Amino acid sequence: MATYLVCGGAGYIGSHMCKHLHEAGHHVVVCDDLSTGHAGALLWGAHAYGSIEDLEFLRSLFSQYQFDGVLHFAALSVVAESMREPQRYYRNNVAATLNLLRVMREFEVNKFVFSSTAAVFGEPQARMISEDHPTVPLNPYGLSKLMVEQVLRDSCRAYGLRAVALRYFNAAGADPYGRIGEAHDPETHLIPKLVRKALGEDLSVSINGTDYPTEDGTCIRDYVHVDDLAQAHVLALDHLDHAVGMHSFNLGNGTGHSVKQVVDAVREVTGERLDIPVAGRRAGDPSHLVASSKFARSVLGWEPRYTRIGDVIETAVRWHGSETCAAWLETLDGAEVAVQSHLGDDNKPQQYRQG
Ligand code: UDP
């Protein structure tokens, strides 16, 4: 049994990570500032309220626990926002990660698993994107992640850090028991938008462009279930027990689905008619983004369990229809939430502002 720090463990993918680590028998400590995460997602392990931008907070956390490794999910991840506010993205995604790596070095913690993204590749030059595809990000979000990958490569060489960067394609779905899932406001992603609309929410959704060079004219993406992503991290931690240096892996199902196919799949799962109008293209959307996950499969032994898009959507429908999801969305507006911080003086629940 190991002790892992999960930065951003109250977020969408981070909270599923905590569940997987807990189920694998590990001890989990979350640090999260609840800027985008949810207090209700803190179901597994201990947690400390704070930001990785705060060096002293990190130092006090690392002196309280002896971590065997760190999994880092605490980042901003909205492409359009990164275009409007690049400095915020570089400060949060790059500078704060440097803080974390600095404190890890001070406390001699040398296993690191990093949430990276397919956005590091930019415009795809191949149908299936493998790890050696050129990395030319099209926005500050993708570049911020690529910068950290470079920092990790150099840190592995100079300081003996061991690191894995996992480049997610389109994370989707939710805990099959409906305990945790995605709850953003405003929501920008295709599957949660369609599912919420099918469940009766008054949400404007359109098909962003039908003139792409694909079979039905709409963009193709590789949707991978969030539990499969989390499982890849558990395998990455095992990999770092014997592998030195820095390793990057692409995580996707290896199967593409067009926007129209996703709309059809949501119709099929929910039984709703779902009239989705066609709109123009969304700026910066590549026509086709599909992972070759051969490397992750062969080196990590990763085998995604959700291979059918309908099964992924089914978990999202269960989650978005739950009372928990509705309650989370309500607290996004700066509601006061009680969080048990393990760094509090008397260890009593304290009030923090969500959002
Ligand atoms: N999309 C769409 N309508 C929406 C939201 C998304 O047609 O309301 C399209 C989007 O243009 C892209 C695909 O669905 O081609 C997946 O978008 P999403 O935002 O879910 O993920 P991304 O691939 O941008 O990370």
Side-chain angles (χ1 to χ4, degrees), residues 275-296:
D275 283 321
I276 308 294
V278 169
R281 290 184 176 203
R282 189 174 72 175
D285 263 347
S287 60
H288 195 276
L289 263 181
V290 179
S292 160
S293 54
K294 272 193 196 147
F295 195 51

Side-chain angles (χ1 to χ4, degrees), residues 10-12 32-38 75-76 88 183-184 332 354-355:
Y12 172 43
D32 203 295
D33 64 2
L34 298 183
S35 53
T36 57
H38 297 273
L76 299 169
R88 195 171 148 231
H184 300 123
L332 273 179
Q354 170 103 43

Side-chain angles (χ1 to χ4, degrees), residues 170 188-191 193 205-208 219 221 223 259 282 285:
N170 288 60
T188 60
H189 293 116
L190 181 64
I191 291 181
K193 279 176 83 175
V205 195
S206 49
I207 295 175
N208 295 338
C219 286
R221 293 289 180 272
Y223 297 92
V259 174
R282 189 174 72 175
D285 263 347

